[in-house]
Every structure is written in structure tokens, then in C-alpha cells.
Amino acid sequence: MSTTRLHVDWTACDGRGLCAELLPGLLAEDDWGYPVARGGEAEPAVPRHLEDSARHAVDRCPAPALRLVRR
């Protein structure tokens, strides 16, 4: 069974922190405003109940540096 994961393109991310505001259960901000996964994973798994919020965060990313991937 595949899992939806949140991928951050670090070359595109400019650290505005919007994604962490939109996904507080999944992401936090580091000291410079860049997103970090609360579980410490490079590509955190998106729980089913957060998939709509994750899609919204991907759509709203101003860089755009976020995308959802199936693994």
C-alpha cells in the first residue's frame, strides 16, 4: 500500500513558513522560517485526515516548493 508523503524542494523553498502555519500537526518552522517535519523525517507521511490540508498547503506555497508524492 502506498503512502502520501510531503516533499519539500529545498532549492525552491524561501522559508516564508506558510506551510507550517497551514499544517501545524505535520510541520514546524526552524529558526529561519523553513519547514521541518515534526517527526524528523525528510518526507513526512501525510495522515489521511490531513490530506486535504496538505493539498491546500501545496496549492498555497508561494515558491512553489511543496508537492505530494506517493511512495
Side-chain angles (χ1 to χ4, degrees):
M1 183 165 115
S2 63
T3 302
T4 300
R5 297 196 169 269
L6 185 67
H7 174 80
V8 179
D9 179 350
W10 297 108
T11 62
C13 182
D14 60 6
R16 294 185 189 194
L18 180 61
C19 57
E21 288 180 31
L22 295 173
L23 289 170
L26 193 61
L27 299 173
E29 288 182 46
D30 68 9
D31 293 339
W32 300 275
Y34 290 91
V36 290
R38 293 202 177 270
E41 297 177 89
E43 282 188 350
V46 179
R48 178 159 278 182
H49 71 279
L50 291 178
E51 285 183 359
D52 287 340
S53 296
R55 275 191 284 281
H56 181 68
V58 168
D59 291 342
R60 297 282 316 271
C61 180
L66 295 178
R67 65 184 162 111
L68 295 174
V69 294
R70 302 287 283 173
R71 300 241 194 270

